[in-house]
Amino acid sequence: MPVRHERPRPVDRRVRVQGRPVDAYPALPPEAERGSVRRVTVVGEEVLRRPCREVTEFGTPGLSELIDDMFLTMHVADGAGLAANQVGVDLRLFVYDCPDDQGIRHVGHLINPVLDLPDPGSRRLVDDFEGCLSVPGAAMEVPRTDHAVVRGFDKDGNPVLIEGTGYFARCLQHETDHLAGRTYLDRLSKRDRKDALRQMEDRREDVFARRAIKAADVGR
């Protein structure tokens, strides 16, 4: 019997918004167009060290405004994800605009997220460099599983399930960590953590200057 060769399925490279493919999407998300830039908190601030509160009210103007501001703040800071406590708000919410390892762009927000990772026996850990907008200028290798699923809600209270692989899976894990009061520094050895903090001290002012220039451009 001849070997049957199945053609590989073509990859759908459309942008995923809230987990769903869309035919067209702008470079700057609509939320960012409506938002205002907020200050990004820096490691060492207390709001980054405590677990965030559950969101209990959905569909409010204040929640929509926060999401809009987080999208623009993330854009100005050249980030792939941003948690609410990184703008000083201790709510279980993060936004993302992040590619996966196939170059597919994922954009959206998640409220009250719950992270599901593969079982220890089947998960694949990948060491890759990771940075954080709240640790400006530093990057260190952090082991993360290459697949993650996050369940939560959108700003109107509708259930959302987001699946990520590769770099996007790393982003989902990183942002969920923030909402539990952890940064990637907490996953490093004492020696590597000191190295990351030295990098931050050396480079933070340059990072802040670049953000200020981009924020000024956005405001024009």
Side-chain angles (χ1 to χ4, degrees):
M1 183 175 179
V3 176
R4 180 180 178 182
H5 295 283
E6 294 186 2
R7 292 183 180 179
R9 294 180 180 178
V11 177
D12 184 347
R13 297 196 171 278
R14 289 179 293 175
V15 176
R16 308 299 200 272
V17 178
Q18 294 295 105
R20 298 180 177 179
V22 297
D23 291 330
Y25 198 77
L28 186 66
E31 294 91 342
E33 293 278 7
R34 299 188 296 263
S36 299
V37 178
R38 299 197 187 194
R39 174 185 169 272
V40 177
T41 53
V42 177
V43 65
E45 296 185 41
E46 197 270 338
V47 70
L48 292 174
R49 299 301 306 171
R50 64 173 186 261
C52 294
R53 297 177 292 117
E54 294 279 310
V55 174
T56 57
E57 294 186 27
F58 294 87
T60 66
L63 186 59
S64 294
E65 180 181 340
L66 173 60
I67 291 170
D68 292 347
D69 291 355
M70 288 173 64
F71 264 102
L72 183 59
T73 303
M74 176 176 63
H75 170 73
V76 164
D78 292 321
L82 185 72
N85 55 356
Q86 291 184 274
V87 293
V89 180
D90 66 335
L91 289 177
R92 289 186 54 78
L93 157 67
F94 68 80
V95 302
Y96 59 89
D97 188 345
C98 181
D100 61 24
D101 285 1
Q102 292 182 305
I104 297 170
R105 182 185 178 194
H106 299 261
V107 185
H109 67 274
L110 270 169
I111 296 172
N112 299 339
V114 176
L115 179 67
D116 293 329
L117 298 177
D119 294 331
S122 60
R123 70 180 56 170
R124 175 174 174 262
L125 288 178
V126 177
D127 283 311
D128 201 355
F129 280 95
E130 192 167 318
C132 178
L133 302 186
S134 293
V135 192
M140 297 294 294
E141 281 194 345
V142 182
R144 299 275 193 187
T145 182
D146 68 347
H147 182 268
V149 174
V150 183
R151 306 167 195 273
F153 301 90
D154 68 13
K155 63 183 178 181
D156 297 314
N158 301 308
V160 176
L161 186 150
I162 303 296
E163 183 174 4
T165 59
Y167 186 70
F168 183 44
R170 178 174 295 273
C171 174
L172 294 174
Q173 293 167 77
H174 180 110
E175 301 309 327
T176 307
D177 269 358
H178 270 302
L179 303 184
R182 297 190 296 264
T183 68
Y184 81 89
L185 299 182
D186 297 311
R187 295 184 175 273
L188 301 178
S189 67
K190 187 175 181 180
R191 177 182 176 181
D192 285 349
R193 188 159 53 247
K194 287 183 177 179
D195 187 7
L197 292 174
R198 280 195 296 268
Q199 290 181 37
M200 183 181 77
E201 288 305 312
D202 290 342
R203 303 168 184 170
R204 63 190 292 175
E205 294 308 319
D206 289 339
V207 172
F208 291 157
R210 289 197 300 271
R211 290 180 188 175
I213 292 170
K214 195 164 183 179
D217 288 341
V218 167
R220 289 173 185 168

